[in-house]
Amino acid sequence: MSHSNPSTADGSDRLFKCERAQCGPSRVLHLRKIPLEVSEGDVIALGTPFGKVTNLLLLKAKNQAFLEMASEEAAVTMVNYYTTATPHVRNQPIYIQFSNHRELKTDNLPNQGRVQAALQAVNTAAVHSGNMASGGEGGLLAPGQSPVLRIIVENLFYPVSLEVLHQIFSKFGTVLKIITFTKNNQFQALLQFNDALIAHHAKVALDGQNIYNACCTLRIEFSKLTSLNVKYNNDKSRDFTRLDLPSGDQQATMDPGMAFGAPGIMSSPYPGAPGFTPTLGFTQPGLSMQTMPGALGPLTLQGSVGRMALHGMTPPGVHAVLLVSNLNPESVTPHSLFILFGVYGDVHRVKILFNKKENALIQMADSTQAQLAMSHLNGQRLHGKVIRVTVSKHQTVQLPREGQEDQGLTKDFSGSALHRFKKPGSKNFQNIFPPSATLHLSNIPPSITDDMLKDLFAGMGYTVKAFKFFQKDRKMALIQLGSVEEAIQALIDLHNHELGDNHHLRVSFSKSTI
């Protein structure tokens, strides 16, 4: 194969001259390892964050494509960005490099009508969303549209850093600047993309999503600002286009080589990762991606995911084993702890310490569920005592050796049928609430009346203050007890209680009152 440098690409085998050779900058990019099911829009979408895409040649049979940008500058920015964050198309990694062609000539090639239609659709949408408008301070954008998003994080159970936001939003395009702050006791951020179209796509896809399972919910709207003025590069603000900015407050300045999510952009809050965990749909060499039950796969942001976790997002520094102290040794059992902590995650093992029975170790399915259980149950009253829940130094709960005296204090629940979250995408992820005096009851058979349920709770010594069935679904009800402590004990005693007709009562905490 010749290694001459023709000026145009015509679809012949000459297109692949640059596959093994490193080519200089060109506005034509060579994409390899393209999946067979890829569409023209999928490939064009890779380029639109960096500028206008002017042509495309898709060679599905060879798993390759050529993408022509409007300018060489846009192509250089795109290649530099994807050098540090491998792009994925249809969940498969692809590879991008400069082509040795200076432009694409595809007028006489088959199937180019679809390409031109896809390009026209993208460019039309860009004009309508302000992508073609001038940016910067006072830039003219379509009404209500801006490249700057205002982000509020609700249900902030875990710290959310500037790096986490960059990791999530950079999946949609080039993030230029981020400023984080606290206002009205809420963590907020302003994030600037390189154009309003990308900001619009990110807003549509991420508004209402949870960063971690059942918490850290993103609320996103367009900012009235069209550009951000960042003075310092530190843990509160960052201008990714100005790595020469000071850090302020005598903090160390950033290494100029660290840009656009390169490993080491800041010391990571994630154990074992040199930078931060991979962004949605991207993977970085050397970084491990931890997937949680129910977490989204790469690039999957459709369906019933509003309360699920963004893929790859694991809270910092939390093991899956909890230490529970100040228990009542006369009343506590492995089963009672399994039921209570099982409200916030799937409990795999419980060990009440043999020589110190007021303490127990509880191993959850993952660190996210451990953090949820700790944040909700620490400081609650159980069996008349205020319990303390902290992260244990242990990474697993060891089962007793054969013949070792244990008195039934260690139980393995990993195969239990009572796990609430073992089904990916379970609706139970949407119904995780702090302990309350009002309990949510479900799986109630038609033969059970309100008096029967009230008598069930009252007969076990609980004070029933109020009860009502759901108006539209009598399989569910709310019952209000005398205190939160009563409700905690009632949940332990009556969750999975046999009601007849092969129906077992399901009990959880409710956010509602009667």
Side-chain angles (χ1 to χ4, degrees):
M1 188 165 14
S2 168
H3 284 274
S4 62
N5 191 20
S7 61
T8 64
D10 58 7
S12 69
D13 284 342
R14 288 180 297 159
L15 288 168
F16 307 110
K17 294 172 186 175
C18 208
E19 185 171 353
R20 292 182 180 84
Q22 291 295 318
C23 299
S26 165
R27 67 190 185 100
V28 179
L29 301 173
H30 181 201
L31 286 65
R32 297 179 291 119
K33 301 289 182 73
I34 298 290
L36 281 174
E37 65 272 22
V38 74
S39 69
E40 288 82 0
D42 291 333
V43 180
I44 293 169
L46 291 170
T48 51
F50 306 94
K52 184 179 179 180
V53 178
T54 51
N55 207 351
L56 169 68
L57 177 61
L58 189 56
L59 304 169
K60 290 187 179 182
K62 295 180 181 292
N63 301 107
Q64 304 196 31
F66 288 83
L67 192 71
E68 181 186 275
M69 303 298 291
S71 69
E72 186 175 295
E73 181 184 9
V76 170
T77 303
M78 180 174 170
V79 169
N80 288 343
Y81 184 83
Y82 287 135
T83 296
T84 59
T86 302
H88 281 58
V89 172
R90 302 292 176 103
N91 296 342
Q92 294 188 36
I94 68 164
Y95 302 93
I96 300 176
Q97 63 189 47
F98 293 114
S99 170
N100 61 343
H101 303 286
R102 313 309 300 176
E103 64 177 324
L104 291 178
K105 288 191 175 180
T106 59
D107 297 345
N108 299 322
L109 296 178
N111 299 321
Q112 284 304 107
R114 290 175 55 184
V115 170
Q116 294 307 314
L119 286 169
Q120 185 176 2
V122 169
N123 291 332
T124 300
V127 170
H128 285 303
S129 70
N131 189 33
M132 302 304 177
S134 60
E137 293 288 359
L140 299 176
L141 296 166
Q145 303 283 303
S146 165
V148 179
L149 296 176
R150 178 170 173 258
I151 302 158
I152 298 175
V153 182
E154 298 177 346
N155 303 320
L156 192 69
F157 288 148
Y158 312 120
V160 174
S161 65
L162 183 149
E163 281 71 34
V164 167
L165 293 176
H166 182 274
Q167 174 185 341
I168 294 167
F169 283 83
S170 62
K171 176 259 174 184
F172 296 89
T174 305
V175 175
L176 302 182
K177 305 171 186 178
I178 303 176
I179 299 172
T180 65
F181 55 95
T182 299
K183 184 178 180 182
N184 299 328
N185 293 320
Q186 288 183 310
F187 177 81
Q188 302 190 29
L190 294 169
L191 184 146
Q192 181 181 343
F193 280 104
N194 62 334
D195 69 53
L197 177 62
I198 303 306
H200 170 76
H201 289 163
K203 178 181 180 296
V204 169
L206 293 175
D207 187 30
Q209 297 288 332
N210 287 349
I211 298 177
Y212 307 119
N213 274 341
C215 65
C216 299
T217 307
L218 294 169
R219 301 298 179 197
I220 305 170
E221 59 187 33
F222 286 109
S223 171
K224 295 178 181 178
L225 302 172
T226 57
S227 182
L228 298 178
N229 182 21
V230 176
K231 295 181 179 180
Y232 303 109
N233 281 337
N234 53 38
D235 61 341
K236 301 296 183 186
S237 63
R238 192 75 51 81
D239 185 338
F240 294 96
T241 68
R242 290 282 313 278
L243 298 176
D244 58 323
L245 290 179
S247 62
D249 298 330
Q250 288 77 50
Q251 296 178 20
T253 55
M254 292 177 59
D255 185 330
M258 300 186 292
F260 296 113
I265 195 163
M266 279 191 67
S267 63
S268 172
Y270 302 91
F276 41 76
T277 51
T279 188
L280 282 166
F282 293 161
T283 56
Q284 299 176 17
L287 302 189
S288 62
M289 181 179 289
Q290 294 175 280
T291 304
M292 297 179 297
L296 304 177
L299 296 175
T300 56
L301 287 169
Q302 67 277 3
S304 57
V305 300
R307 297 297 186 97
M308 301 308 298
L310 299 176
H311 181 69
M313 302 304 297
T314 304
V318 180
H319 292 310
V321 178
L322 298 172
L323 172 64
V324 187
S325 57
N326 203 39
L327 293 165
N328 186 332
E330 303 300 322
S331 305
V332 71
T333 65
H335 177 77
S336 66
L337 294 174
F338 165 69
I339 294 296
L340 177 58
F341 281 74
V343 173
Y344 301 104
D346 292 336
V347 176
H348 283 192
R349 292 177 181 177
V350 177
K351 176 189 285 289
I352 297 173
L353 302 190
F354 184 78
N355 294 320
K356 203 173 184 183
K357 293 185 175 61
E358 63 270 21
N359 293 335
L361 294 173
I362 299 177
Q363 182 177 335
M364 308 295 290
D366 60 43
S367 60
T368 307
Q369 296 178 8
Q371 180 71 25
L372 279 174
M374 181 172 66
S375 63
H376 284 96
L377 294 176
N378 181 45
Q380 297 293 340
R381 293 185 69 87
L382 176 64
H383 303 133
K385 303 192 73 172
V386 176
I387 64 171
R388 298 299 173 198
V389 185
T390 58
V391 178
S392 170
K393 64 182 179 180
H394 299 283
Q395 297 194 18
T396 59
V397 171
Q398 297 294 327
L399 296 175
R401 294 186 297 273
E402 188 174 351
Q404 181 181 358
E405 185 181 4
D406 180 67
Q407 297 180 353
L409 297 176
T410 305
K411 294 288 185 182
D412 187 341
F413 296 100
S414 56
S416 174
L418 296 183
H419 284 163
R420 298 177 188 245
F421 306 100
K422 61 184 177 181
K423 182 181 178 182
S426 167
K427 288 184 178 180
N428 290 330
F429 282 107
Q430 303 178 25
N431 297 302
I432 296 177
F433 303 111
S436 65
T438 304
L439 296 173
H440 179 276
L441 312 179
S442 60
N443 202 36
I444 303 169
S447 59
I448 298 294
T449 65
D450 53 352
D451 285 338
M452 294 169 73
L453 285 169
K454 286 190 285 187
D455 289 345
L456 172 65
F457 281 80
M460 298 190 70
Y462 300 114
T463 305
V464 178
K465 288 194 167 184
F467 179 94
K468 72 171 183 180
F469 276 110
F470 278 54
Q471 191 170 2
K472 295 182 179 180
D473 187 354
R474 286 182 61 87
K475 294 178 183 177
M476 297 188 293
L478 296 177
I479 187 167
Q480 185 177 337
L481 302 183
S483 66
V484 174
E485 184 178 3
E486 272 196 43
I488 288 174
Q489 190 59 51
L491 182 145
I492 292 171
D493 289 341
L494 290 169
H495 180 64
N496 201 46
H497 180 81
E498 172 68 62
L499 291 176
D501 301 333
N502 201 28
H503 282 67
H504 290 80
L505 183 66
R506 296 186 61 83
V507 185
S508 56
F509 298 114
S510 174
K511 65 177 179 179
S512 305
T513 56
I514 303 175

